[in-house]
Amino acid sequence: MNRRQAISTEKTTLAELNGNAGSDYPGSEYRPPDRKNWISGLDPQRLHLYQIVWPGTHDSATNRIGIRFVSRPFAQCQSCSIYKQLVKGSRVLDIRVQEDRRVCHGVLKSYNIDVVINDVKKFISETQSEIVILEIRTEFGHQDPAEFDKYLVEQFGDLLIHQDDRAFHKTVAELLPGRVICVWKPRKTPAPKPGDPLWSAGYLKDNWIDTDLPSTKFESNMKNMSQQEPVSTRKYFYRVENTVTPQPDNPVVCVWPVTKRIRGYARLFIAQAFSRGFADRLQVFSTDFIDEDFVDACVGVTYARLEGKA
């Protein structure tokens, strides 16, 4: 089977699964009245960290990556700023940096990390109980920015929730005034230690596979998630990325037309997680080009867990 046939077959497979199985699950009808403050709307006094299904963005700071209309379509995974993503309801950010502290994606680069940090701080200043997981990693093939851990601590200060296994079973209210879980993933410099203001790489895990085949990615995501501990017992965040990636052996290499092969099946994935008995593993769920329905899909599960319906 050639590549185009394989892609067409897999798109049909997901479409048929969606048509036959549907995308209803506990909490699927819930819509947060205010996405900017959806954690606050679910009662921070009762909501524990491990109960949250965190809507996230993949390659979050790529809205201005590369050169518009030239290189940008090959690397852009989000179309709006970090601040606007947070206002829409995203609570997990995936940021890659190079040695000069500029955001990058492979060989393409964008604005300075200060733009990201200022957007996060602006959002935090406008809300009361929203918690953000900020993952920052040194991009593959690049060197760690000098003294970057100190820089992050200086920038966020008391907003940082310190690395602590006990945090997972605390309520949102108990974690306040901390608002940011910052996971720093350097390549060579020392990793954060227990009790540090920053969290080390092992606290945000995933099993990313490099494919543009939507059903293959869907089933791989499900299998890998099923092998994790339930959220109630594990001491790390586990991420599932509802994305597929352009491949060099296929004529379609721009991000948008490729990732939309799977992008519309977020609710199907959640519904299948419930029907297959793995919904208690779902925690961080990320997407390209985030929209409000994706956020609602995640918040709905969080609501159902809080109310004892999931």
Side-chain angles (χ1 to χ4, degrees):
M1 184 183 298
N2 65 38
R3 295 283 286 112
R4 289 186 178 182
Q5 286 178 321
I7 292 168
S8 178
T9 298
E10 294 217 1
K11 288 167 66 176
T12 299
T13 298
L14 279 186
E16 290 179 348
L17 178 61
N18 192 47
N20 294 331
S23 55
D24 292 334
Y25 52 84
S28 62
E29 296 182 357
Y30 181 80
R31 298 292 185 275
D34 178 6
R35 294 184 185 91
K36 185 177 180 179
N37 293 282
W38 68 260
I39 291 179
S40 297
L42 292 178
D43 190 355
Q45 299 288 340
R46 293 195 299 136
L47 182 62
H48 291 80
L49 205 67
Y50 76 87
Q51 294 176 299
I52 298 173
V53 176
W54 304 78
T57 50
H58 167 244
D59 254 324
S60 307
T62 53
N63 58 308
R64 295 183 183 176
I65 198 81
I67 302 172
R68 190 181 185 188
F69 302 130
V70 180
S71 57
R72 188 171 299 171
F74 303 107
Q76 184 182 35
C77 299
Q78 305 298 329
S79 57
C80 58
S81 69
I82 295 297
Y83 173 75
K84 289 182 178 179
Q85 290 172 40
L86 293 169
V87 170
K88 280 187 178 183
S90 176
R91 293 295 177 268
V92 181
L93 301 172
D94 161 24
I95 310 296
R96 296 99 184 276
V97 294
Q98 58 186 32
E99 46 270 27
D100 63 357
R101 296 185 180 175
R102 292 184 71 175
V103 172
C104 61
H105 184 178
V107 298
L108 299 180
K109 55 190 177 182
S110 184
Y111 38 69
N112 192 280
I113 190 64
D114 288 347
V115 174
V116 173
I117 291 173
N118 289 338
D119 272 8
V120 173
K121 290 164 75 173
K122 177 183 178 183
F123 173 77
I124 292 295
S125 72
E126 295 174 353
T127 56
Q128 294 184 339
S129 303
E130 304 307 300
I131 291 178
V132 176
I133 300 176
L134 174 61
E135 177 199 34
I136 305 182
R137 72 179 93 168
T138 302
E139 179 68 307
F140 179 78
H142 291 277
Q143 299 298 314
D144 299 324
E147 298 188 328
F148 196 62
D149 52 348
K150 295 179 181 178
Y151 167 77
L152 291 172
V153 173
E154 289 172 358
Q155 288 295 312
F156 286 112
D158 292 340
L159 293 174
L160 291 170
I161 297 170
H162 288 217
Q163 183 182 150
D164 183 357
D165 287 355
R166 296 171 296 180
F168 292 94
H169 278 269
K170 290 185 177 181
T171 64
V172 171
E174 289 172 328
L175 293 169
L176 300 176
R179 304 285 298 281
V180 179
I181 294 174
C182 186
V183 181
W184 165 226
K185 298 182 175 181
R187 293 210 165 267
K188 294 183 178 179
T189 55
K193 302 183 296 296
D196 281 358
L198 307 179
W199 296 59
S200 57
Y203 282 101
L204 180 53
K205 302 179 181 181
D206 55 38
N207 292 99
W208 182 78
I209 66 166
D210 187 11
T211 182
D212 63 353
L213 298 173
S215 182
T216 295
K217 184 64 176 288
F218 187 98
E219 294 300 335
S220 173
N221 281 344
M222 191 68 69
K223 177 182 177 181
N224 287 320
M225 186 181 73
S226 73
Q227 295 170 348
Q228 308 304 311
E229 295 179 43
V231 295
S232 60
T233 59
R234 67 175 179 240
K235 299 296 189 291
Y236 60 89
F237 297 100
Y238 184 77
R239 173 171 52 204
V240 172
E241 292 188 334
N242 191 56
T243 64
V244 286
T245 309
Q247 299 298 307
D249 64 345
N250 189 277
V252 182
V253 291
C254 295
V255 174
W256 168 248
V258 173
T259 200
K260 73 177 184 178
R261 296 169 190 163
I262 196 172
R263 181 174 174 271
Y265 295 111
R267 286 183 177 272
L268 174 64
F269 184 86
I270 297 173
Q272 285 294 297
F274 274 98
S275 67
R276 301 185 197 188
F278 308 136
D280 61 347
R281 274 78 162 166
L282 183 62
Q283 190 171 40
V284 176
F285 200 27
S286 294
T287 187
D288 291 327
F289 303 101
I290 194 167
D291 61 15
E292 290 81 357
D293 187 67
F294 182 87
V295 171
D296 292 354
C298 298
V299 178
V301 183
T302 306
Y303 169 78
R305 286 177 176 174
L306 183 63
E307 298 302 320
K309 300 176 181 179

